[in-house]
Amino acid sequence: MATIAGGLAGLAGAGGAVSVAMLRRKRPCLPAGHALTGPDTTDPLPAVLKLGLAGMTVRVVPGPHGELYLGPGAPQPGRTLRRLVLAPLFARAGSAGGRLWPDQRVPFRLVIEFGGANRDPEALLRAYRMLDRQLQDHAGLLSRCQGEQLTAGAVTVTVTGIVDVRELLAAQPERCAFADGTFDDLGSRFAPPSLVPVISEPWTRRFGWDGREPITAEERHQLHALVRAAHDDGRRVRICGLPDGTRKARAAIWTELGAAGVDVIADTDLAGLARHLRRNPITGTPRPHLPTRAVRRSAPRPNAPRTVGRHETV
């Protein structure tokens, strides 16, 4: 009996060791995963990196001492973008040879959204200059642009929420931040891919499907056409702003986005999105159509694409 008990204990110990090893196993990098963090989130980076999501959007407000602050309410000491996001992000990349995960193949896409009650253009432009000075300290790890030449780094920074930020960015001979774009920018000489490499729009801006029933043939066709036009124009596509609904309904939309070749899916359901992308990796190329509903719904048509020279993915 003692021998049997010892054997069972050994098996239990081995099983426990295997379980611990499985828990400690690092999750893979998910290039198509992007975290949308709420205005009440004060320290979003650890959860994003743990899940393997290769990007996130953080909302910041300008505050005292030339800093940008995260979280709700008035700026609080210690809740700065520099301390909670930039420093740990670049420290991790710098200590691992320029990668945040061993299997990272695309830059981590950090979208910085300027918010707050003060929407004075001059104040916002001063805030961007604060950010630019902080980014210059880590220029070697950032995607950057010199002239029309894009060079990918461990992290790509995109700035949004600032009036006329494109003019400011375009005036920099060498920059390490980019502007957010929309499908209306396709083919525009005022918003080339070197300035606006990623198209980003809320799903609900152009689509009415909420994932609770099969997508209509027209909306699926429009989605594929928009993504194809963006890729032909030398840009990547990030879709955010999905309608509220159950995880099943959201997963249906995620699946359609992946099938259309959308490069990045942004959502607030971080765990659900990460699980979905681990089971359904996005290749960046359209997949065969899934069943649709033959119901037509009026929707804007995409702009005509214009083929431009290819750039390194940022």
Coordinates of all heavy atoms in Angstrom, one line a residue, residues 53-109:
L53 N -1.0 40.4 -27.5 CA -1.6 41.3 -28.4 C -0.5 42.3 -28.9 O 0.2 42.9 -28.1 CB -2.7 42.1 -27.8 CG -3.9 41.2 -27.3 CD1 -4.9 42.0 -26.6 CD2 -4.5 40.5 -28.5
A54 N -0.3 42.4 -30.2 CA 0.8 43.2 -30.8 C 0.4 44.6 -31.0 O 0.9 45.2 -32.0 CB 1.2 42.5 -32.1
G55 N -0.4 45.2 -30.1 CA -0.7 46.6 -30.3 C -1.7 47.0 -29.3 O -2.4 46.2 -28.7
M56 N -1.7 48.3 -29.0 CA -2.8 48.8 -28.1 C -3.0 50.3 -28.4 O -2.0 51.0 -28.8 CB -2.5 48.6 -26.6 CG -1.3 49.4 -26.1 SD -1.2 49.1 -24.3 CE 0.1 50.2 -23.9
T57 N -4.2 50.8 -28.0 CA -4.5 52.2 -28.1 C -4.6 52.7 -26.7 O -5.3 52.2 -25.9 CB -5.8 52.5 -28.8 OG1 -5.6 52.1 -30.2 CG2 -6.2 54.0 -28.8
V58 N -3.9 53.8 -26.3 CA -3.9 54.4 -25.0 C -4.3 55.9 -25.2 O -3.9 56.5 -26.1 CB -2.6 54.3 -24.2 CG1 -2.3 52.9 -23.9 CG2 -1.5 54.9 -25.0
R59 N -5.2 56.3 -24.3 CA -5.7 57.7 -24.3 C -4.9 58.5 -23.2 O -4.8 58.1 -22.1 CB -7.2 57.7 -23.9 CG -7.8 59.1 -24.1 CD -9.3 58.9 -23.8 NE -10.0 60.2 -24.0 CZ -10.3 61.1 -23.0 NH1 -9.9 60.8 -21.8 NH2 -10.9 62.2 -23.2
V60 N -4.3 59.6 -23.7 CA -3.5 60.4 -22.8 C -4.0 61.9 -22.8 O -4.7 62.3 -23.7 CB -2.0 60.4 -23.2 CG1 -1.5 59.0 -23.2 CG2 -1.9 61.0 -24.6
V61 N -3.7 62.6 -21.7 CA -4.0 64.0 -21.6 C -2.7 64.7 -21.2 O -2.0 64.2 -20.4 CB -5.1 64.3 -20.6 CG1 -6.5 63.7 -21.0 CG2 -4.8 63.7 -19.2
P62 N -2.5 65.9 -21.8 CA -1.3 66.7 -21.3 C -1.5 67.1 -19.9 O -2.6 67.4 -19.4 CB -1.3 67.9 -22.3 CG -2.2 67.4 -23.5 CD -3.2 66.5 -22.9
G63 N -0.4 67.2 -19.2 CA -0.4 67.6 -17.8 C 0.9 68.4 -17.4 O 1.6 68.8 -18.3
P64 N 1.1 68.5 -16.1 CA 2.2 69.2 -15.6 C 3.6 68.6 -16.0 O 3.6 67.4 -16.3 CB 2.0 69.2 -14.1 CG 0.6 68.8 -13.9 CD 0.2 68.0 -15.0
H65 N 4.6 69.4 -15.9 CA 6.0 69.0 -16.1 C 6.3 68.4 -17.5 O 7.1 67.5 -17.6 CB 6.4 67.9 -15.0 CG 6.0 68.4 -13.6 ND1 6.5 69.5 -13.0 CD2 5.1 67.8 -12.7 CE1 5.9 69.6 -11.8 NE2 5.1 68.6 -11.6
G66 N 5.5 68.8 -18.5 CA 5.7 68.3 -19.8 C 5.5 66.8 -20.0 O 6.1 66.1 -20.8
E67 N 4.6 66.2 -19.2 CA 4.2 64.8 -19.3 C 2.9 64.6 -19.8 O 2.0 65.5 -19.8 CB 4.3 64.2 -17.9 CG 5.7 64.2 -17.2 CD 6.7 63.2 -17.9 OE1 6.2 62.4 -18.8 OE2 7.9 63.2 -17.5
L68 N 2.6 63.4 -20.3 CA 1.3 62.9 -20.8 C 0.8 61.9 -19.8 O 1.6 61.0 -19.4 CB 1.4 62.3 -22.2 CG 2.0 63.3 -23.2 CD1 2.3 62.6 -24.5 CD2 1.0 64.4 -23.5
Y69 N -0.5 62.0 -19.4 CA -1.0 61.2 -18.3 C -2.1 60.2 -18.7 O -2.9 60.6 -19.6 CB -1.5 62.1 -17.2 CG -0.4 62.9 -16.5 CD1 0.1 64.0 -17.1 CD2 0.1 62.4 -15.3 CE1 1.1 64.8 -16.4 CE2 1.1 63.2 -14.6 CZ 1.6 64.3 -15.2 OH 2.7 65.0 -14.6
L70 N -2.1 59.1 -18.1 CA -3.2 58.1 -18.3 C -4.2 58.1 -17.2 O -3.9 58.6 -16.1 CB -2.6 56.7 -18.4 CG -1.9 56.3 -19.7 CD1 -0.6 57.0 -19.9 CD2 -1.6 54.8 -19.8
G71 N -5.3 57.5 -17.4 CA -6.3 57.2 -16.3 C -7.3 58.4 -16.2 O -7.2 59.4 -16.8
P72 N -8.3 58.1 -15.4 CA -9.4 59.1 -15.2 C -9.0 60.3 -14.3 O -8.0 60.2 -13.6 CB -10.5 58.3 -14.6 CG -9.7 57.3 -13.7 CD -8.5 56.9 -14.5
G73 N -9.8 61.3 -14.4 CA -9.7 62.5 -13.5 C -8.4 63.3 -13.9 O -7.9 63.2 -14.9
A74 N -8.1 64.1 -12.9 CA -6.9 65.0 -13.1 C -5.6 64.2 -13.1 O -5.5 63.1 -12.6 CB -6.9 66.0 -11.9
P75 N -4.6 64.7 -13.8 CA -3.3 64.0 -13.9 C -2.8 63.7 -12.5 O -2.8 64.6 -11.6 CB -2.4 65.0 -14.6 CG -3.4 65.8 -15.5 CD -4.6 66.0 -14.6
Q76 N -2.3 62.5 -12.4 CA -1.8 62.0 -11.1 C -0.3 61.6 -11.2 O 0.1 61.0 -12.2 CB -2.5 60.8 -10.6 CG -4.0 61.1 -10.3 CD -4.2 62.1 -9.2 OE1 -3.5 62.1 -8.2 NE2 -5.2 62.9 -9.3
P77 N 0.6 62.0 -10.2 CA 2.0 61.6 -10.3 C 2.1 60.1 -10.4 O 1.4 59.3 -9.8 CB 2.5 62.1 -8.9 CG 1.6 63.2 -8.5 CD 0.2 62.8 -9.0
G78 N 3.0 59.6 -11.3 CA 3.2 58.2 -11.5 C 2.3 57.6 -12.5 O 2.6 56.4 -13.0
R79 N 1.3 58.3 -13.0 CA 0.5 57.8 -14.1 C 0.8 58.4 -15.4 O 0.0 58.7 -16.2 CB -1.0 58.0 -13.8 CG -1.6 57.2 -12.6 CD -3.1 57.2 -12.5 NE -3.8 58.3 -13.1 CZ -5.0 58.7 -12.7 NH1 -5.5 58.2 -11.7 NH2 -5.5 59.7 -13.3
T80 N 2.1 58.5 -15.7 CA 2.5 59.1 -17.0 C 2.7 58.0 -18.0 O 3.0 56.9 -17.8 CB 3.8 59.8 -16.8 OG1 4.9 58.9 -16.5 CG2 3.7 60.9 -15.7
L81 N 2.5 58.5 -19.3 CA 2.8 57.6 -20.4 C 4.2 57.1 -20.4 O 4.5 55.9 -20.7 CB 2.5 58.4 -21.7 CG 2.8 57.6 -23.0 CD1 1.7 56.5 -23.2 CD2 2.8 58.5 -24.2
R82 N 5.2 58.0 -20.0 CA 6.6 57.6 -20.0 C 6.8 56.5 -19.1 O 7.5 55.5 -19.4 CB 7.4 58.8 -19.6 CG 8.9 58.6 -19.7 CD 9.7 59.6 -18.8 NE 9.3 61.0 -19.0 CZ 10.1 61.8 -19.7 NH1 11.3 61.4 -20.2 NH2 9.8 63.1 -19.8
R83 N 6.2 56.6 -17.9 CA 6.5 55.6 -16.8 C 5.8 54.3 -17.0 O 6.4 53.2 -16.8 CB 6.2 56.1 -15.4 CG 6.4 55.2 -14.3 CD 6.0 55.8 -12.9 NE 6.2 54.9 -11.8 CZ 5.3 54.1 -11.4 NH1 4.1 54.1 -12.0 NH2 5.5 53.3 -10.4
L84 N 4.5 54.3 -17.4 CA 3.7 53.1 -17.5 C 3.7 52.4 -18.8 O 3.4 51.2 -18.9 CB 2.2 53.5 -17.1 CG 2.0 54.0 -15.7 CD1 0.5 54.4 -15.6 CD2 2.4 52.9 -14.7
V85 N 4.1 53.1 -19.9 CA 4.1 52.5 -21.2 C 5.4 52.6 -21.9 O 6.0 51.5 -22.2 CB 3.0 53.2 -22.1 CG1 3.0 52.6 -23.5 CG2 1.6 53.0 -21.5
L86 N 6.0 53.7 -22.1 CA 7.2 53.9 -22.9 C 8.4 53.2 -22.3 O 9.1 52.4 -22.9 CB 7.5 55.3 -23.2 CG 6.4 56.1 -24.0 CD1 6.9 57.5 -24.2 CD2 6.1 55.4 -25.3
A87 N 8.6 53.5 -21.0 CA 9.8 52.9 -20.4 C 9.8 51.4 -20.3 O 10.7 50.7 -20.7 CB 10.0 53.5 -19.0
P88 N 8.7 50.8 -19.8 CA 8.7 49.3 -19.8 C 8.7 48.7 -21.2 O 9.3 47.6 -21.4 CB 7.4 48.9 -19.0 CG 6.6 50.1 -19.1 CD 7.5 51.3 -19.2
L89 N 8.0 49.3 -22.1 CA 8.0 48.7 -23.5 C 9.4 48.7 -24.1 O 9.8 47.7 -24.7 CB 7.0 49.6 -24.3 CG 6.5 49.0 -25.7 CD1 5.7 47.7 -25.4 CD2 5.7 50.0 -26.4
F90 N 10.1 49.8 -24.0 CA 11.4 49.9 -24.7 C 12.4 49.1 -23.9 O 13.4 48.6 -24.5 CB 11.8 51.4 -24.9 CG 10.9 52.1 -25.8 CD1 10.3 53.3 -25.5 CD2 10.7 51.6 -27.1 CE1 9.4 53.9 -26.4 CE2 9.9 52.2 -28.0 CZ 9.2 53.4 -27.7
A91 N 12.3 49.1 -22.6 CA 13.2 48.3 -21.8 C 13.1 46.8 -22.2 O 14.1 46.1 -22.3 CB 12.9 48.4 -20.3
R92 N 11.9 46.3 -22.4 CA 11.7 44.9 -22.7 C 12.2 44.6 -24.1 O 12.9 43.6 -24.4 CB 10.2 44.6 -22.7 CG 9.8 43.2 -23.2 CD 8.4 42.8 -22.8 NE 8.0 41.6 -23.5 CZ 7.0 40.8 -23.0 NH1 6.5 41.1 -21.8 NH2 6.7 39.7 -23.6
A93 N 12.0 45.6 -25.1 CA 12.5 45.4 -26.4 C 14.0 45.5 -26.4 O 14.7 44.7 -27.1 CB 11.9 46.4 -27.4
G94 N 14.6 46.4 -25.7 CA 16.0 46.6 -25.7 C 16.8 45.4 -25.1 O 17.9 45.1 -25.5
S95 N 16.2 44.8 -24.1 CA 16.8 43.7 -23.4 C 16.7 42.3 -24.2 O 17.3 41.4 -23.8 CB 16.3 43.5 -22.0 OG 14.9 43.1 -22.1
A96 N 15.8 42.3 -25.2 CA 15.6 41.1 -26.0 C 16.0 41.2 -27.5 O 15.3 40.6 -28.3 CB 14.1 40.7 -25.8
G97 N 16.9 42.1 -27.7 CA 17.4 42.2 -29.1 C 16.4 42.9 -30.0 O 16.4 42.6 -31.2
G98 N 15.6 43.8 -29.5 CA 14.7 44.5 -30.4 C 13.3 43.8 -30.6 O 12.6 44.2 -31.5
R99 N 13.0 42.8 -29.7 CA 11.7 42.1 -29.9 C 11.0 42.1 -28.5 O 11.7 42.0 -27.5 CB 11.9 40.7 -30.4 CG 12.4 40.6 -31.8 CD 12.4 39.2 -32.3 NE 12.8 39.1 -33.7 CZ 12.9 38.0 -34.4 NH1 12.7 36.8 -33.7 NH2 13.3 38.0 -35.6
L100 N 9.7 42.2 -28.5 CA 8.9 42.0 -27.3 C 8.6 40.6 -27.0 O 8.3 40.2 -25.9 CB 7.7 42.9 -27.4 CG 7.9 44.4 -27.6 CD1 6.6 45.1 -28.0 CD2 8.5 45.0 -26.4
W101 N 8.5 39.8 -28.1 CA 8.3 38.3 -27.9 C 9.3 37.6 -28.9 O 9.7 38.2 -29.9 CB 6.9 37.9 -28.4 CG 5.8 38.6 -27.6 CD1 5.2 38.1 -26.5 CD2 5.1 39.8 -27.9 NE1 4.2 38.9 -26.1 CE2 4.1 40.0 -26.9 CE3 5.2 40.7 -29.0 CZ2 3.2 41.1 -27.0 CZ3 4.3 41.8 -29.0 CH2 3.4 42.0 -28.0
P102 N 9.7 36.4 -28.5 CA 10.7 35.7 -29.4 C 10.2 35.5 -30.8 O 11.0 35.5 -31.8 CB 10.9 34.4 -28.7 CG 10.5 34.7 -27.2 CD 9.5 35.7 -27.3
D103 N 8.9 35.4 -31.0 CA 8.3 35.1 -32.3 C 7.7 36.4 -33.0 O 7.0 36.3 -33.9 CB 7.3 34.0 -32.3 CG 6.1 34.4 -31.4 OD1 6.2 35.3 -30.5 OD2 5.0 33.8 -31.5
Q104 N 8.1 37.6 -32.5 CA 7.5 38.8 -33.0 C 8.0 39.0 -34.5 O 9.2 38.9 -34.7 CB 7.9 40.0 -32.2 CG 7.3 41.3 -32.7 CD 7.7 42.5 -31.8 OE1 8.5 42.4 -30.9 NE2 7.3 43.7 -32.2
R105 N 7.1 39.2 -35.4 CA 7.4 39.4 -36.8 C 7.0 40.8 -37.3 O 7.4 41.2 -38.4 CB 6.8 38.3 -37.6 CG 7.3 36.9 -37.3 CD 8.7 36.7 -37.7 NE 9.2 35.4 -37.4 CZ 9.8 35.0 -36.3 NH1 10.0 35.9 -35.4 NH2 10.2 33.8 -36.1
V106 N 6.2 41.5 -36.6 CA 5.7 42.8 -37.0 C 5.9 43.8 -35.8 O 6.0 43.3 -34.7 CB 4.3 42.9 -37.5 CG1 4.0 41.9 -38.7 CG2 3.3 42.5 -36.3
P107 N 6.1 45.1 -36.1 CA 6.2 46.0 -34.9 C 5.0 46.0 -34.0 O 3.9 45.8 -34.5 CB 6.4 47.4 -35.6 CG 6.8 47.1 -37.0 CD 6.2 45.8 -37.4
F108 N 5.3 46.3 -32.8 CA 4.2 46.5 -31.8 C 3.6 47.9 -32.2 O 4.3 48.9 -32.3 CB 4.7 46.5 -30.4 CG 3.6 46.7 -29.3 CD1 3.0 45.6 -28.8 CD2 3.3 48.0 -28.9 CE1 2.0 45.8 -27.8 CE2 2.4 48.2 -27.9 CZ 1.7 47.1 -27.4
R109 N 2.3 47.9 -32.4 CA 1.6 49.1 -32.9 C 1.0 49.9 -31.7 O 0.0 49.5 -31.1 CB 0.5 48.8 -33.9 CG 1.1 48.2 -35.2 CD 0.0 47.8 -36.2 NE 0.6 47.4 -37.5 CZ 0.7 46.2 -37.9 NH1 0.3 45.2 -37.1 NH2 1.2 45.9 -39.0

